[in-house]
């Protein structure tokens, strides 16, 4: 009974936090323009994008299984799917909390040690970074002018500092804290090495390293590469298909899709709760697209505002819906496993 109460409280608090951060972003948008656009929107493409986003959860779960197999853990793809769904839901509240939630929930369902599954998640992030670099290279080839405009606009958006002293002050404070930390570690090194906490930390780090090393023992490398490409092609389609939902973007093509994939990825990886930087980044990205085509920057920004907002809300709805289902499924799978 107590566990059910705790689960319900957690569900309510997490949902309210997610809703709070969504409201903050929504407040910054011109709703008159959005309302007009919604009347002309072809929602088939919005739902298609949402469906593909859920498909990426499954692909990521299947790829995750391949990394867990070399360590002797033959987990169900469905367990990975619900762990990933829960992770995205948690990212709506606290930046990067999803990685911890993902490893924790998998342990609850499949008893895979946290540190080992977390190591595979770290490895996944490195692999995703490599694929992001690949798509960035393609963007550089096909959208060089747009990318340069995007960087210029991004620099203009930064707050202009009138003096450089605060920057150097922060630098010296950080350096002083680092030196002080090294000195204190040197003074208490003997006691630290004899602490049980160090042994636990060493075991934890070795577990993470084992998870990272799992890629060297992959049994189905071709399938792993296929899943990785499929994942990023789906990410591309999640943006590209939405072009056809609006009259202002229905003539956009693959080059614009590649560029907005990179811009959107930047918005999602920034350490902001729930990827709330995404609509803001997309407004700048559309400004860059319009400038590169000789169009009006303000018009591009206005289109980017509603495009980013609608696509963002569509993805958030998917995250919240499947996140809530995941909380129930993880609890049920855990309860069923304890009965066996």
């Amino acid at each position: 009974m107590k566990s059910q109460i705790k689960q319900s409280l957690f569900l309510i608090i997490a949902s309210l936090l997610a809703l709070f951060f969504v409201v903050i972003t929504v407040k910054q948008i011109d709703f008159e323009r959005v309302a007009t656009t919604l009347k002309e929107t072809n929602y088939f493409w919005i739902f298609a994008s949402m469906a593909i986003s859920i498909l990426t959860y499954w692909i990521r779960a299947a790829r995750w299984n391949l990394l867990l197999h070399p360590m002797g853990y033959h987990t169900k793809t469905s367990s990975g799917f619900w762990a990933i769904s829960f992770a995205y839901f948690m990212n709506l509240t606290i930046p990067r909390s999803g990685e911890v939630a993902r490893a924790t929930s998998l342990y609850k369902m499949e008893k895979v040690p946290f540190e080992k599954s977390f190591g595979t998640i770290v490895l996944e992030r490195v692999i995703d970074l490599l694929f992001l670099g690949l798509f960035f290279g393609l963007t550089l080839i096909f959208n060089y002018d747009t990318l340069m405009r995007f960087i210029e606009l991004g620099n203009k958006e930064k707050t202009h500092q009138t003096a450089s002293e605060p920057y150097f002050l922060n630098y010296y404070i950080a350096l002083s804290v680092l030196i002080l930390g090294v000195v204190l570690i040197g003074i208490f090194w003997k006691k630290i090495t004899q602490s049980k906490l160090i042994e636990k930390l060493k075991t934890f780090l070795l577990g993470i390293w084992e998870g990272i090393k799992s890629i060297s023992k992959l049994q189905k490398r071709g399938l792993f590469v296929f899943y990785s490409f499929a994942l990023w092609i789906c990410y591309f389609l999640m943006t590209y298909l939405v072009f056809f939902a609006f009259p202002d973007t229905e003539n956009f093509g693959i080059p614009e899709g590649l560029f907005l994939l990179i811009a959107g990825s930047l918005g999602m990886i920034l350490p902001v709760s729930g990827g709330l930087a995404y609509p803001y980044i997309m407004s700048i990205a559309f400004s860059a697209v319009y400038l590169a085509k000789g169009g009006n920057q303000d018009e591009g920004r206005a289109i980017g505002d509603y495009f980013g907002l609608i696509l963002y809300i569509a993805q958030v709805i998917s995250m919240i819906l499947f996140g809530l289902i995941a909380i129930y499924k993880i609890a049920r799978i855990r309860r069923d496993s304890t009965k066996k």
Side-chain angles (χ1 to χ4, degrees):
M1 186 66 180
K2 287 184 178 179
S3 61
Q4 290 180 344
I5 293 172
K6 287 181 180 178
Q7 183 181 334
S8 298
L9 285 173
F10 170 77
L11 183 63
I12 293 169
I13 293 170
S15 300
L16 288 174
L17 280 171
L19 182 62
F20 170 73
F21 286 118
V22 170
V23 169
I24 290 176
T25 301
V26 167
K27 275 186 169 181
Q28 303 174 22
I29 306 299
D30 179 5
F31 275 97
E32 289 186 11
R33 179 72 182 258
V34 173
T36 303
T37 302
L38 289 175
K39 294 177 182 178
E40 303 172 344
T41 300
N42 185 336
Y43 289 96
F44 170 81
W45 300 109
I46 303 293
F47 287 117
S49 177
M50 293 171 70
I52 290 174
S53 73
I54 301 305
L55 176 62
T56 65
Y57 296 7
W58 192 268
I59 294 172
R60 189 173 285 279
R63 189 180 71 168
W64 194 15
N65 277 349
L66 297 180
L67 293 174
L68 294 169
H69 285 174
M71 296 185 290
Y73 301 106
H74 299 279
T75 57
K76 296 177 182 177
T77 303
S78 58
S79 296
F81 176 83
W82 293 121
I84 290 166
S85 298
F86 179 61
Y88 283 124
F89 177 77
M90 285 304 299
N91 278 338
L92 289 174
T93 58
I94 304 170
R96 298 294 166 257
S97 63
E99 279 79 356
V100 175
R102 179 175 161 186
T104 302
S105 56
L106 188 68
Y107 172 76
K108 290 178 180 178
M109 292 182 287
E110 299 282 354
K111 300 304 176 187
V112 178
F114 172 87
E115 62 274 11
K116 292 184 180 180
S117 63
F118 190 78
T120 60
I121 294 169
V122 172
L123 176 60
E124 275 194 355
R125 290 291 170 260
V126 174
I127 293 167
D128 287 339
L129 190 62
L130 292 175
F131 273 86
L132 180 62
L134 173 63
F135 277 86
F136 180 82
L138 292 173
T139 302
L140 201 59
I141 294 171
F142 295 107
N143 294 280
Y144 179 80
D145 290 339
T146 307
L147 193 59
M148 292 302 103
R149 296 281 189 176
F150 178 68
I151 294 171
E152 289 173 11
L153 290 171
N155 289 334
K156 289 178 181 178
E157 292 288 331
K158 291 180 181 178
T159 304
H160 297 285
Q161 295 183 353
T162 55
S164 59
E165 286 80 9
Y167 169 80
F168 288 106
L169 181 61
N170 292 335
Y171 172 79
Y172 287 124
I173 290 173
L175 184 62
S176 300
V177 170
L178 179 62
I179 293 172
L180 180 61
V182 171
V183 171
L184 289 173
I185 290 173
I187 293 172
F188 297 103
W189 179 250
K190 194 171 182 180
K191 290 184 178 180
I192 291 173
T193 54
Q194 294 174 351
S195 171
K196 291 182 179 180
L197 181 62
I198 291 298
E199 288 300 318
K200 290 181 179 180
L201 180 61
K202 190 184 295 184
T203 303
F204 178 74
L205 292 175
L206 286 173
I208 291 178
W209 178 241
E210 187 177 347
I212 294 173
K213 286 196 304 180
S214 65
I215 194 161
S216 65
K217 302 174 184 177
L218 273 180
Q219 297 172 346
K220 299 178 181 179
R221 296 187 179 184
L223 186 58
F224 184 87
V225 172
F226 171 77
Y227 282 147
S228 298
F229 272 105
L231 193 63
W232 279 85
I233 289 170
C234 284
Y235 288 152
F236 166 76
L237 289 174
M238 283 164 57
T239 300
Y240 178 74
L241 292 181
V242 178
F243 288 162
F244 303 108
F246 309 114
D248 290 321
T249 58
E250 61 184 0
N251 293 322
F252 280 24
I254 291 176
E256 288 83 7
L258 285 172
F259 168 69
L260 292 174
L261 169 65
I262 296 301
S265 297
L266 176 62
M268 294 304 292
I269 64 176
L270 287 174
V272 180
S273 296
L276 290 171
Y278 182 82
Y280 171 72
I281 292 292
M282 290 301 276
S283 67
I284 300 175
F286 269 82
S287 294
V289 170
Y290 269 68
L291 280 174
K293 290 184 174 184
N296 184 279
Q297 176 183 337
D298 293 333
E299 177 64 16
R301 183 148 199 161
I303 294 171
D305 280 340
Y306 75 70
F307 184 95
L309 174 69
I310 294 172
L311 183 53
Y312 173 76
I313 289 178
Q315 299 309 320
V316 166
I317 289 171
S318 299
M319 290 178 191
I320 292 176
L321 177 61
F322 278 80
L324 295 177
I325 297 173
I327 292 173
Y328 166 76
K329 295 292 288 187
I330 291 168
R332 183 174 180 177
I333 293 169
R334 182 187 185 188
R335 186 170 60 250
D336 291 345
S337 64
T338 54
K339 289 179 181 179
K340 293 180 180 179

